């Protein structure tokens, strides 16, 4: 009996150690992947400085332009807008996780494998002072600043990440890749004039109801929030 006990105790100890080891490991859960901090991350103090600098050098100018038009502003920036003293400039924009996930999945789906998506470019814009676009789509925040987003790809030897979308330039049912910079820079561009209504409809689409006639890659309708 003594010999049996001498043999059994080490086995029990070893089994206990093995069970304890696996139990503790299971309690810890799966290891989290190592994520390096992006170099583009800025400090909270830097963010405060950026916000205040915009307040001092941009927001005040926008409020003056929208609120009380004087002769100098009218000369520098001719506009048919009527002054609105209660206007508050946009200071932030909200992009939901659902929108971003769905947008990137949509872009990946409609972009051919031959086009390498290198990133996403944000374009600044301003909502017209009216309730609807020409295609009848409601304008979220009239007069406020906004931005629209488009995927980018490298072009030629310039090594420039240009935003792109797909437009049926020849109206033959075959969308072609178009670089936004080429179209936005020249308001008299024949492509823009020829497809104005189609591009308008495609460019400000709602991802909850994808516009099928054009394979637009441009996302907007996020609105602009006043200061908080």
């Amino acid at each position: 009996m003594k010999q049996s006990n001498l043999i059994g105790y080490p086995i029990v100890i070893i089994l206990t150690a093995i069970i304890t080891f696996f139990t503790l490991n299971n309690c810890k859960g799966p290891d989290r992947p190592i994520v390096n901090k992006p170099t583009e991350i800025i400090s909270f103090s830097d963010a405060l400085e950026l916000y205040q600098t915009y307040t001092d050098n941009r927001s005040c100018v926008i409020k003056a332009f929208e609120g009380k038009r004087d002769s100098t502003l009218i000369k520098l920036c001719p506009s048919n807008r009527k002054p609105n003293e209660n206007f508050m400039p946009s200071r932030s924009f909200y992009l939901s996780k659902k929108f971003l996930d769905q947008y990137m999945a949509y872009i990946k789906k409609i972009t051919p494998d031959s086009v390498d998506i290198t990133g996403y470019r944000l374009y600044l814009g301003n909502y017209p002072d009216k309730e609807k676009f020409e295609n009848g789509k409601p304008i979220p925040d009239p007069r406020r600043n906004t931005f629209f987003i488009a995927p980018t790809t490298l072009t030629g030897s310039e090594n420039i990440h240009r935003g792109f979308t797909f437009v049926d330039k020849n109206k033959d049912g075959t969308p072609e890749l178009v670089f936004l910079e080429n179209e936005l820079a020249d308001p008299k561009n024949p492509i823009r004039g020829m497809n104005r209504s189609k591009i308008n409809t495609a460019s400000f689409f709602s991802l909850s109801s994808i516009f099928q006639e054009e394979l637009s890659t441009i996302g907007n309708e996020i609105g602009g929030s006043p200061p908080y």
Side-chain angles (χ1 to χ4, degrees):
M1 291 295 295
K2 291 184 179 180
Q3 184 177 1
S4 176
N5 288 339
L6 289 175
I7 296 175
Y9 287 146
I11 294 176
V12 172
I13 293 172
I14 292 172
L15 289 175
T16 302
I18 292 174
I19 293 171
T20 303
F21 173 79
F22 282 108
T23 301
L24 291 176
N25 277 339
N26 288 334
C27 290
K28 290 179 181 178
D31 292 336
R32 293 185 178 182
I34 298 174
V35 178
N36 295 324
K37 180 180 178 181
T39 57
E40 294 83 1
I41 294 294
I42 65 173
S43 67
F44 177 59
S45 60
D46 289 347
L48 291 177
E49 185 174 0
L50 289 176
Y51 193 90
Q52 189 59 46
T53 301
Y54 187 92
T55 299
D56 297 338
N57 299 284
R58 293 293 185 272
S59 179
C60 60
V61 176
I62 295 172
K63 185 168 178 58
F65 175 84
E66 296 286 354
K68 294 182 179 180
R69 307 295 307 283
D70 58 22
S71 57
T72 302
L73 283 173
I74 293 174
K75 184 177 180 180
L76 292 173
C77 302
S79 174
N80 295 325
R81 286 187 181 179
K82 295 180 180 180
N84 179 359
E85 294 186 3
N86 297 320
F87 179 83
M88 296 295 288
S90 301
R91 296 309 310 273
S92 66
F93 305 96
Y94 171 70
L95 292 174
S96 69
K97 181 180 182 299
K98 180 180 178 181
F99 167 83
L100 290 173
D101 290 344
Q102 189 176 3
Y103 175 74
M104 288 188 286
Y106 167 75
I107 297 303
K108 185 177 180 181
K109 176 182 177 182
I110 68 171
T111 302
D113 294 337
S114 58
V115 179
D116 181 30
I117 300 174
T118 60
Y120 296 88
R121 187 175 292 277
L122 305 179
Y123 298 84
L124 297 176
N126 183 260
Y127 286 120
D129 187 17
K130 55 185 182 181
E131 297 300 318
K132 297 180 179 179
F133 288 109
E134 293 179 7
N135 59 12
K137 211 162 184 52
I139 293 176
D141 294 295
R143 301 173 73 121
R144 291 194 188 281
N145 287 343
T146 184
F147 69 82
F148 50 96
I149 183 174
T152 62
T153 189
L154 287 174
T155 59
S157 59
E158 296 177 330
N159 202 35
I160 299 175
H161 300 270
R162 295 185 183 275
F164 68 86
T165 188
F166 301 101
V167 178
D168 185 4
K169 295 188 292 184
N170 299 318
K171 296 185 178 180
D172 59 0
T174 306
E176 298 179 39
L177 188 147
V178 170
F179 291 112
L180 269 63
E181 283 76 7
N182 296 344
E183 310 304 320
L184 299 174
D186 183 7
K188 297 181 180 180
N189 189 296
I191 296 177
R192 187 175 185 180
M194 181 178 66
N195 291 301
R196 185 177 179 186
S197 62
K198 293 181 71 177
I199 292 178
N200 237 3
T201 303
S203 298
F204 296 96
F205 69 99
S206 171
L207 285 176
S208 61
S209 178
I210 295 175
F211 187 72
Q212 297 294 342
E213 186 177 352
E214 288 280 0
L215 293 179
S216 176
T217 63
I218 308 170
N220 183 243
E221 293 193 354
I222 58 174
S225 302
Y228 292 106

